[in-house]
Amino acid sequence: MAARARRLVPRPSWAVYAAVFVVLGGILFVQAYASGAFIPDYRSETTSGSGQDDVPEEIRKGGPIVNTTAERPQSYSLPARTVVLTFDDGPDPIWTPAVLEVLEKHQVPGTFFVLGSQVVRYPDLVRELDAKGHELGVHTFTHPYLAELPGWQRRMEYTQTQLVIAGATGSRTNLVRFPYSSRADAFLDQDWPLLQQAGELGYLTVVNDLDSRDWERQGADGMVERSIPAGYAGAITLWHDSGGDRSQTIEALDRYIPLMKERGYTFTTVSGGLNRALAEAGVTGATAGPTEATASERWRGQMLIMAVRAADGTFIVFGALFVVVGVLTIGRTVLMFVLALRHARKRRRPDFAWGPPVTEPVSVIVPAYNEKEGIAAAVRSLAAGDHPGGIEVVVVDDGSTDGTADIAAGLGLPNVRVVRKPNGGKPSALNTGVALARHDLIVMVDGDTIFEPDAVRRLVQPFGDPRVGAVAGNVKVGNRRSMIAKWQHIEYVIGFNLDRRLYETLRCMPTIPGAIGAFRRKALEYAGGMTDDTLAEDTDVTMALGRAGWKVVYEDSARAWTEAPSSIGQLWKQRYRWSYGTMQAMWKHRRGVLDKGASGRFSRRCLAFLTLFGVLLPLAAPVIDLLAVFGLIFLDRTATVVAWAAMLGLQFLTAIVAFRLDKEKLGVLWVLPLQQFVYRQLMYLVLLQSVVTALTGGRLGWQKLKRTGLEPAGTAGAPRPLPLPAEAASPRQVRF
C-alpha cells in the first residue's frame, strides 16, 4: 500500500493576518462608534453668548413643531386641551417596558425619540412600540451635541437612526429631536443651520413646551407640576425612558395622566397633534405620520443592527477574555514567585545534596546537520569538560552536506567519536548516538551549543538521587547584541528557566531542552527512546518519562550557551516548530489524564499547565493589546495607561526576580517595554498559526535554521572553552 501523502502547511500569509486584525479593528471601531466614543461632550459654555439674530421670529415665538422643509419656515402649536407625551434617549430594556405599562394602563399613546445606538441593541422593544401604536422619532444615533459636528456627520446621525428604525419596524419617521434641545424660544444662531439641514432632509424638528426635568430625580411631585400647561393650552411634554433610574418618572406619569384627563385633556402623538392643528387651521391634504420604508432601507437597517450587535458581542467576549487573561497572568506570577523562590532557597541550603557525588563517566550525544559554523566550538567545549569520571563525545553527523563531520573529525580530540549516517532527522541521530554510547549517563546537546567547563559535571549531579531520570540544564543566549537576541535572552531567563523551577516543584516538567539535557539510559529505554511522532522530540520524551514516574529536575548551575535566531524569519521558523511540536506532544499524551498513579498525576498537572499557560493564555493575551489601543483612542486614556503600566510593572517584577535567581545583569531589561510592541505580537502569530496547523491536520516539516556560530569566547559573556592538548590523537570515525 502506498504511503499516505502528508499535506504540507503553506507559509504564513501576512496578508491574512493583517486582514484578521483589520476585521477585529473594524469590529472595535463599530462598537466605539455605537457607544458614542467619537462624539464631542456637551458643554454648557458652548451655548453661552450666542445670539438669536439668524433665527426667524416666527420660529422663536412659534410652537414646538418646526417645519423648515418649505421655502418659508413654519412652526405649529398643539390645539387646546391636547397633550403629547414624548420620551427621549430610549429604548431601555428596563424603563421602556415600565413606561409602556403605564401608557397601556391609561390607554394613551406616546412619541418616543429613540437613539440609533439603543435601537440596534433592543430592536424588539422598538418593534413593540410601533406595533402598539406609539410613534417613533429620530434622536440621532449617538446623542452628540450637533452644533459641534460637521454637516456630513449630522446627516449620518439622522440617516443611520432612520435605517435602524426601518430595519426594526419596516417604517420610517419624519420627526427629529436634537439632543440637548429645549423650547422653540431657546433656539440660538448656531442652531439655525441644524434646523435648515433637518428640513432639507425632510424632517420636522420637534422640541417641547414643558420639560418634566425628570433627569434631575427630585421627586414625582415636581415632575407633575412642571408638566401642567397654563390654562388649557396644548403642550408637548418631555420625559425620558432611559439614561438612568426612571422610577420617579414612572410614578409621575401614573399620576399625571389621570390628572390631565380629569382636566379634559386628550393624549395623542406628535403627528396626531400636528394633524389636529392643521385641520383647525383649515389646511387640507397635509398629514403627518410614519411612512413605509423601502426594501433597501429595511435591508440596510437590518445589516446595521446585526453589525452593531455583533460588535457588542465581540466586545463582551473581549472583556471576559481580558478578565481571564488578567486572572491567569496574576495567578501564574504569584505561583511562580512562591514556588520558584522556594526552589531556589532549597538549592542554596548548605546541607542540600542530591545524594553521593556522581563521578560515573558520561556520554555526550551531539546530533549535527549542516552545523559547520558552530560544531568546532561546541565539540571543543564538551571535550574539555571537567567531569571527574570522564566525558565521551559522540558527534552524529546526520547526512550533512557542508562538511560538518570533517570539521569535527579534524579537531583531533581523543575523547570524540564522529559518526556519519544518512539523513534521517534529529530523533534518528540521537537514537544512533545513544546506541553507540558507552556509558549509562547520557547528555544530549545541540550542535550549535557551547558548554561551560563545569556544565556536564553539574548537570549529572542530580542523578545522585536514584529517582531522577532526566535533568534540564540552564540554556543561555550567547549572541545578545541584536534587539531580537536581547528579547530572546529575556524570554529564556523568564519564560524558560523560571518556569522550570516551577515545573520541578510541581513534578510536571514538560521539556528537557535539546540544548542541554541529561538522561539515564534505562529511563530512555523505558520511554522508547526518541521518536519522530512529533516535531518536539524533547517534549515528547520528557512527558513519557514523567508518565513513567521518573523525576525530571532542573539544574540551574549547569549552563550552556546557544545561538538564538537573529532574524524575524528564523525566529518564526524555530518557534513555529516548538509550538506545533508541543501541541503534537500534548495530543499524543492526552490519554494520560485518565491514568491512575504517577502517570495520571503527571499528565493532569502537565497538560493542564501547558493548556492554560502555553496555549490558551498566549492565544487570549492579544486582547490586552487590542483593548489597550482601544482604550487609548476611545476610553479614559489615563486609566488605560495606568492599567497597561501595572501589567508592565508586573512583568518587570517577574523579570527582576528571574534575573536575580539566574545571576544575570539587569541592564538588558531596558528593552522589556519594547518587547511588548513587536516580539510579543510575533509570538501570538506563531502560536495562532500553530493552532491552525494542528486543527487543519497539516504536517510541518523540519525547520533548519541558519547559523553564524558563536565567537570562540562566546558572544556577550559566553565562556571560552578550555584549551586542549596539542598532542591529541585523531578521533575514531564510524560510517553507517
Side-chain angles (χ1 to χ4, degrees):
M1 180 182 294
R4 185 176 62 181
R6 290 179 174 179
R7 182 165 59 85
L8 295 178
V9 180
R11 292 182 178 181
S13 172
W14 296 110
V16 172
Y17 294 130
V20 169
F21 282 102
V22 166
V23 169
L24 290 177
I27 289 173
L28 291 176
F29 181 88
V30 169
Q31 203 283 334
Y33 175 74
S35 300
F38 296 100
I39 64 172
D41 294 331
Y42 173 75
R43 294 166 290 128
S44 59
E45 61 266 23
T46 60
T47 63
S48 61
S50 281
Q52 295 181 303
D53 296 337
D54 294 340
V55 184
E57 185 176 0
E58 56 266 36
I59 300 301
R60 288 188 284 109
K61 296 184 178 180
I65 304 173
V66 180
N67 180 6
T68 55
T69 60
E71 291 185 8
R72 180 180 176 183
Q74 298 172 303
S75 66
Y76 304 94
S77 297
L78 296 187
R81 298 180 187 271
T82 304
V83 171
V84 174
L85 300 173
T86 65
F87 300 91
D88 284 5
D89 299 346
D92 181 273
I94 296 175
W95 300 111
T96 300
V99 169
L100 278 178
E101 185 177 347
V102 175
L103 299 184
E104 289 176 10
K105 174 183 175 181
H106 298 289
Q107 295 297 299
V108 299
T111 298
F112 291 79
F113 288 93
V114 294
L115 292 173
S117 59
Q118 291 293 95
V119 175
V120 296
R121 287 161 178 143
Y122 310 107
D124 293 341
L125 279 177
V126 178
R127 199 171 296 118
E128 181 181 1
L129 289 171
D130 182 67
K132 291 183 176 180
H134 301 288
E135 187 172 35
L136 299 172
V138 170
H139 196 44
T140 71
F141 198 86
T142 59
H143 205 275
Y145 183 56
L146 293 173
E148 294 190 359
L149 297 185
W152 66 267
Q153 194 171 352
R154 293 198 296 265
R155 185 181 301 107
M156 188 169 66
E157 289 279 338
Y158 307 145
T159 302
Q160 290 181 333
T161 307
Q162 186 76 262
L163 284 176
V164 295
I165 291 174
T169 67
S171 61
R172 68 190 322 279
T173 178
N174 67 338
L175 304 180
V176 66
R177 172 175 281 166
F178 306 147
Y180 309 109
S181 61
S182 56
R183 300 190 311 271
D185 60 5
F187 283 130
L188 301 172
D189 289 343
Q190 60 191 13
D191 299 320
W192 181 237
L194 278 60
L195 292 163
Q196 290 177 306
Q197 184 183 32
E200 292 170 0
L201 296 174
Y203 289 103
L204 300 175
T205 302
V206 181
V207 286
N208 66 82
D209 294 297
L210 300 171
D211 186 352
S212 68
R213 301 181 71 86
D214 56 347
W215 47 272
E216 292 181 344
R217 301 189 187 95
Q218 293 183 358
D221 291 341
M223 298 178 194
V224 172
E225 182 179 348
R226 285 187 288 270
S227 302
I228 298 175
Y232 294 100
I236 292 179
T237 60
L238 173 60
W239 309 78
H240 294 82
D241 63 326
S242 185
D245 184 353
R246 297 301 175 207
S247 56
Q248 292 183 7
T249 300
I250 303 304
E251 180 186 351
L253 286 170
D254 201 27
R255 291 161 50 184
Y256 176 74
I257 296 171
L259 175 63
M260 298 307 291
K261 283 185 174 182
E262 289 177 3
R263 296 190 174 199
Y265 276 80
T266 58
F267 289 83
T268 185
T269 61
V270 170
S271 294
L274 176 58
N275 289 334
R276 290 184 190 180
L278 292 173
E280 289 185 3
V283 179
T284 59
T287 59
T291 57
E292 184 177 355
T294 65
S296 173
E297 288 174 328
R298 291 196 298 271
W299 180 83
R300 290 161 60 198
Q302 290 165 0
M303 291 300 101
L304 184 53
I305 289 171
M306 287 191 291
V308 175
R309 297 187 78 176
D312 282 348
T314 303
F315 196 72
I316 291 172
V317 171
F318 279 8
L321 287 176
F322 181 86
V323 173
V324 170
V325 169
V327 170
L328 287 177
T329 301
I330 294 173
R332 179 175 180 271
T333 302
V334 171
L335 197 61
M336 277 200 304
F337 280 170
V338 173
L339 298 184
L341 290 174
R342 180 190 300 175
H343 176 277
R345 285 195 297 269
K346 177 182 177 182
R347 293 293 177 85
R348 291 173 180 175
R349 288 204 315 257
D351 60 341
F352 174 79
W354 292 105
V358 176
T359 57
E360 301 172 42
V362 175
S363 294
V364 180
I365 313 301
V366 186
Y369 174 69
N370 289 346
E371 297 282 2
K372 69 176 182 179
E373 296 84 4
I375 192 66
V379 172
R380 284 180 178 276
S381 71
L382 293 167
D386 65 2
H387 181 59
I391 298 173
E392 171 198 37
V393 180
V394 181
V395 179
V396 183
D397 182 80
D398 191 41
S400 296
T401 58
D402 66 347
T404 294
D406 294 335
I407 294 173
L411 295 176
L413 304 177
N415 56 342
V416 176
R417 282 188 291 161
V418 179
V419 179
R420 303 173 189 260
K421 64 180 289 294
N423 182 262
K426 187 176 180 181
S428 171
L430 288 169
N431 287 332
T432 299
V434 172
L436 294 174
R438 298 189 179 98
H439 309 304
D440 290 332
L441 297 184
I442 308 292
V443 172
M444 295 183 181
V445 184
D446 287 340
D448 61 340
T449 303
I450 295 177
F451 268 39
E452 293 190 358
D454 61 353
V456 172
R457 172 172 55 82
R458 291 180 179 276
L459 185 64
V460 299
Q461 292 310 306
F463 291 124
D465 182 345
R467 298 171 298 173
V468 173
V471 184
N474 190 339
V475 185
K476 296 292 184 183
V477 173
N479 53 325
R480 301 181 188 177
R481 290 199 178 105
S482 70
M483 184 66 71
I484 294 177
K486 286 182 171 65
W487 288 333
Q488 290 174 85
H489 167 48
I490 294 173
E491 182 186 29
Y492 272 59
V493 175
I494 302 174
F496 298 156
N497 295 335
L498 193 61
D499 278 353
R500 288 191 179 107
R501 298 177 190 271
L502 168 66
Y503 288 135
E504 181 192 326
T505 306
L506 295 176
R507 292 290 300 273
C508 62
M509 183 83 72
T511 305
I512 295 293
I516 176 170
F519 301 85
R520 290 186 191 273
R521 182 187 292 272
K522 63 179 179 180
L524 278 175
E525 292 173 350
Y526 189 92
M530 296 293 181
T531 74
D532 63 355
D533 295 341
T534 74
L535 288 174
E537 72 288 333
D538 46 6
T539 299
D540 186 5
V541 74
T542 306
M543 288 185 177
L545 292 173
R547 292 182 63 186
W550 288 99
K551 284 182 66 177
V552 182
V553 300
Y554 171 57
E555 180 52 64
D556 64 299
S557 65
R559 304 200 306 176
W561 299 76
T562 189
E563 182 181 354
S566 57
S567 70
I568 293 293
Q570 292 293 299
L571 179 62
W572 178 283
K573 287 183 178 181
Q574 182 194 68
R575 298 313 169 86
Y576 189 14
R577 178 174 62 84
W578 287 4
S579 344
Y580 185 51
T582 299
M583 290 179 193
Q584 288 178 310
M586 292 169 65
W587 183 253
K588 177 179 177 179
H589 294 279
R590 67 191 183 281
R591 292 188 177 89
V593 298
L594 303 177
D595 291 346
K596 296 180 180 179
S599 177
R601 288 192 297 272
F602 170 83
S603 299
R604 284 187 286 273
R605 292 178 189 175
C606 179
L607 294 182
F609 266 84
L610 286 179
T611 301
L612 281 176
F613 302 119
V615 179
L616 296 182
L617 180 58
L619 280 178
V623 171
I624 298 287
D625 298 329
L626 282 173
L627 291 184
V629 173
F630 183 86
L632 287 173
I633 299 173
F634 302 120
L635 303 179
D636 187 327
R637 290 186 178 88
T638 301
T640 300
V641 170
V642 168
W644 190 84
M647 293 296 292
L648 183 61
L650 188 63
Q651 290 181 327
F652 260 113
L653 181 60
T654 304
I656 290 171
V657 171
F659 270 60
R660 288 299 187 193
L661 291 177
D662 246 26
K663 298 178 181 178
E664 288 280 357
K665 295 180 180 179
L666 301 180
V668 72
L669 292 182
W670 71 268
V671 304
L672 184 59
L674 301 177
Q675 191 180 41
Q676 313 306 306
F677 299 108
V678 179
Y679 189 79
R680 196 167 70 177
Q681 282 69 29
L682 181 66
M683 295 301 102
Y684 296 157
L685 297 179
V686 168
L687 184 61
L688 178 61
Q689 184 162 4
S690 300
V691 170
V692 171
T693 303
L695 293 177
T696 57
R699 179 74 177 182
L700 181 65
W702 180 261
Q703 306 287 309
K704 180 70 179 83
L705 303 181
K706 295 179 181 178
R707 301 294 186 186
T708 59
L710 294 177
E711 296 178 2
T715 303
R720 181 186 299 275
L722 292 179
L724 297 171
E727 65 274 18
S730 298
R732 176 185 175 189
Q733 298 191 44
V734 180
R735 288 184 182 271
F736 278 78

